[in-house]
């Protein structure tokens, strides 16, 4: 899970795959889940949360879950054809060179591996888009200002979503990077999309 420092997505895999149960019994786990993030502090938060949630066995003994510093644009820590699944949730939009990150994702995936990207996207319905844009540019930064005392970060969030590739543009970039069977599923009317390849 790239850009997954706090572990939220990885924890879902740990739970779904039963890694915690195996760590308590056999101490052997054929499943390996890697959280990769460029931010060391986020990784520390994720590892601390994992130890609180699952104990030490999962990270220290079975090594079913690991936290690794890395950049989506340069995953030199990982060999070619290393992973069955590559996930990135709400992180691709913040990568400087999306095309390079997609090529790296393709490189580290095993043949037949799957790429899954959950990301804010573009609302295709014109009427819903107008409502969402009004909400996004007027409400979200104001809420950020009131709750977090940080209007600028929430303004950046809204602007970065609008500047990011729409669904078909991202599909084209994924195909260009070598990913096959590319498709997307709009969620919440296209506010978010799940891209697969």
């Amino acid at each position: 899970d790239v850009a997954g420092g706090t572990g939220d997505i990885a924890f879902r895999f740990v739970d779904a795959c039963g890694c915690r149960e195996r760590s308590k019994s056999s101490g052997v786990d054929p499943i390996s889940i890697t959280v990769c993030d460029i931010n060391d502090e986020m990784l520390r938060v994720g590892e601390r949360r994992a130890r609180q949630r699952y104990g030490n066995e999962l990270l220290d003994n079975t090594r079913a879950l690991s936290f690794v510093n890395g950049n989506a644009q340069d995953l030199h820590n990982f060999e070619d054809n290393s992973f069955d699944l590559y996930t990135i949730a709400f992180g691709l939009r913040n990568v400087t060179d999306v095309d390079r990150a997609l090529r790296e994702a393709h490189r580290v995936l095993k043949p037949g591996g799957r790429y899954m990207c959950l990301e804010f996207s573009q609302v295709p319905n014109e009427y819903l888009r107008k409502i969402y844009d009004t909400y996004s540019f007027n409400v979200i930064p104001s809420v950020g200002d009131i709750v977090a005392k940080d209007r600028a970060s929430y303004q950046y969030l809204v602007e970065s979503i609008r500047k990011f590739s729409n669904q078909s543009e991202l599909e084209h970039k994924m195909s260009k990077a070598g990913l096959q069977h590319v498709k997307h599923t709009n969620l919440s009317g296209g506010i978010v999309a799940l891209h697969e390849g």
Side-chain angles (χ1 to χ4, degrees):
D1 183 39
V2 176
T6 58
D8 294 313
I9 301 298
F11 296 166
R12 291 179 182 261
F13 286 117
V14 167
D15 295 340
C17 296
C19 297
R20 182 178 191 178
E21 289 75 20
R22 281 189 298 283
S23 73
K24 290 180 178 179
S25 59
S26 68
V28 176
D29 203 323
I31 296 173
S32 174
I33 301 163
T34 304
V35 177
C36 177
D37 201 293
I38 197 168
N39 186 313
D40 283 323
E41 183 56 33
M42 296 288 276
L43 290 167
R44 280 192 288 277
V45 168
E47 185 172 340
R48 184 177 66 244
R49 290 179 65 218
R51 289 185 188 282
Q52 290 169 346
R53 185 171 179 155
Y54 302 114
N56 295 325
E57 296 84 11
L58 200 68
L59 287 96
D60 299 335
N61 298 340
T62 67
R63 298 180 193 261
L65 179 62
S66 60
F67 290 82
V68 178
N69 182 284
N71 183 335
Q73 300 171 138
D74 181 15
L75 297 171
H76 65 272
N77 294 344
F78 306 108
E79 308 243 342
D80 294 1
N81 308 317
S82 295
F83 298 98
D84 295 301
L85 176 65
Y86 178 114
T87 60
I88 184 167
F90 305 109
L92 189 61
R93 184 183 79 260
N94 296 315
V95 171
T96 306
D97 188 340
V98 171
D99 295 322
R100 186 172 172 194
L102 290 169
R103 287 192 304 271
E104 277 293 274
H106 180 258
R107 181 186 67 77
V108 300
L109 277 169
K110 293 178 182 176
R114 191 166 184 187
Y115 175 85
M116 299 184 81
C117 172
L118 185 65
E119 188 56 83
F120 289 110
S121 201
Q122 305 297 320
V123 177
N125 178 288
E126 185 178 341
Y127 178 72
L128 182 58
R129 183 174 53 248
K130 287 180 182 178
I131 294 169
Y132 180 58
D133 283 347
T134 299
Y135 170 79
S136 296
F137 284 101
N138 295 301
V139 176
I140 292 175
S142 297
V143 169
D145 190 30
I146 293 166
V147 174
K149 307 280 188 260
D150 187 1
R151 182 181 190 87
S153 292
Y154 289 85
Q155 185 70 37
Y156 164 79
L157 171 66
V158 172
E159 291 171 3
S160 71
I161 292 168
R162 294 313 179 283
K163 291 177 184 175
F164 191 66
S165 303
N166 67 30
Q167 291 87 326
S168 60
E169 291 167 345
L170 185 53
E171 284 181 352
H172 176 74
K173 289 180 180 206
M174 290 168 62
S175 294
K176 191 175 166 187
L179 296 164
Q180 299 175 352
H181 311 292
V182 171
K183 64 179 183 175
H184 76 274
T185 304
N186 282 334
L187 306 170
S188 301
I191 293 172
V192 173
L194 176 63
H195 289 266
E196 302 174 62

